[in-house]
Amino acid sequence: MTIKIITEIASTHNGDIKVVDYLINEHIKSKSNYIKFQIFKADELVDKKNKNFKEFKKIEISYKHWEKIIKKYCKKTKIILEIFDISSFKFCKRFKKSVDIKISTTETDNLLLIKEALKNFKKVFINVSGYEKEYINLIIKKFVNKRTKNQIIFLYGFQGFPSKPNDLRFALFDFFHKKKLTYGYSD
């Protein structure tokens, strides 16, 4: 079994491009295998009337800035772009030859998007956190075949505090292993 490490940036940058550069350079020094960025537009992610909208808007990085970051670092490290909506997917498709993509749980039920991602990206990470085994099986039956088996990576994680051991559903890893799928834990 090969273990790969993904440096998860999430929104640690707080919308500051200088912090993104700093984090990427620290990631490169760490020898982690991938760095992952969350690509979103606040307007697409949350309603403007939502009390958290301003916070999301504050941490949003423009597509123009993301483009500069991707072009600057895509030859120095492997990049995963996590999408949360159709708009961010369309943006990320522009870099399909130089990055991989992660489908967040907000889009895992969008089967057309998964199909499109598999047509366009070398690696497609699919977050199945929060999904029942029956739905995960549906994704496997619909999309995993000889051509895509090494293209799809299933990610599962449990984000809850405090976490109870029974909530972690580690049996999913046995399930993925028995099906000879590539999988990982994402937190």
Side-chain angles (χ1 to χ4, degrees):
M1 178 188 333
T2 304
I3 295 176
K4 305 246 179 189
I5 306 294
I6 300 170
T7 302
E8 169 65 66
I9 297 300
S11 297
T12 305
H13 52 71
N14 288 315
D16 186 335
I17 303 304
K18 290 178 185 170
V19 174
V20 174
D21 278 323
Y22 170 78
L23 293 169
I24 294 170
N25 286 310
E26 290 300 305
H27 151 76
I28 290 169
K29 289 183 215 171
S30 77
K31 305 294 186 219
S32 172
N33 302 94
Y34 295 90
I35 190 163
K36 185 181 75 62
F37 301 112
Q38 295 177 338
I39 309 296
F40 65 88
K41 287 286 185 199
D43 307 44
E44 302 273 338
L45 196 57
V46 71
D47 188 87
K48 289 180 181 179
K49 294 176 185 171
N50 185 300
K51 65 179 181 168
N52 297 316
F53 177 77
K54 287 182 182 176
E55 291 300 313
F56 279 100
K57 196 67 177 166
K58 189 170 93 176
I59 61 174
E60 176 185 297
I61 292 179
S62 72
Y63 288 162
K64 184 175 103 178
H65 282 104
W66 277 125
E67 183 172 357
K68 287 179 184 176
I69 292 163
I70 294 163
K71 286 180 178 178
K72 181 177 179 180
Y73 291 105
C74 70
K75 293 196 185 335
K76 296 178 183 179
T77 188
K78 291 180 182 174
I79 297 174
I80 302 169
L81 302 177
E82 181 175 14
I83 55 138
F84 291 83
D85 53 67
I86 300 300
S87 173
S88 60
F89 177 74
K90 288 177 182 175
F91 167 76
C92 294
K93 244 170 72 169
R94 295 172 32 199
F95 309 99
K96 63 186 177 185
K97 293 187 189 299
S98 55
V99 303
D100 295 321
I101 197 158
K102 179 182 176 190
I103 313 254
S104 72
T105 55
T106 61
E107 292 297 325
T108 298
D109 59 353
N110 187 338
L111 300 178
L112 291 174
L113 182 82
I114 294 172
K115 182 179 179 181
E116 188 71 16
L118 288 167
K119 283 185 202 173
N120 285 281
F121 291 88
K122 185 177 175 187
K123 295 281 184 194
V124 178
F125 295 77
I126 302 175
N127 190 336
V128 294
S129 302
Y131 286 90
E132 295 298 324
K133 197 169 169 183
E134 291 76 25
Y135 185 74
I136 297 168
N137 244 334
L138 174 98
I139 293 172
I140 292 167
K141 287 177 184 168
K142 189 156 184 72
F143 296 111
V144 176
N145 55 50
K146 287 180 184 178
R147 184 185 65 77
T148 63
K149 189 167 182 115
N150 294 321
Q151 183 182 11
I152 298 173
I153 299 96
F154 289 94
L155 293 177
Y156 164 75
F158 183 81
Q159 290 79 30
F161 183 80
S163 296
K164 296 175 188 161
N166 290 340
D167 291 337
L168 299 180
R169 296 173 61 200
F170 286 139
L172 277 176
F173 297 134
D174 294 332
F175 171 74
F176 292 137
H177 184 75
K178 284 177 187 169
K179 292 194 173 282
K180 297 183 169 117
L181 300 169
T182 305
Y183 60 90
Y185 188 77
S186 174
D187 193 23

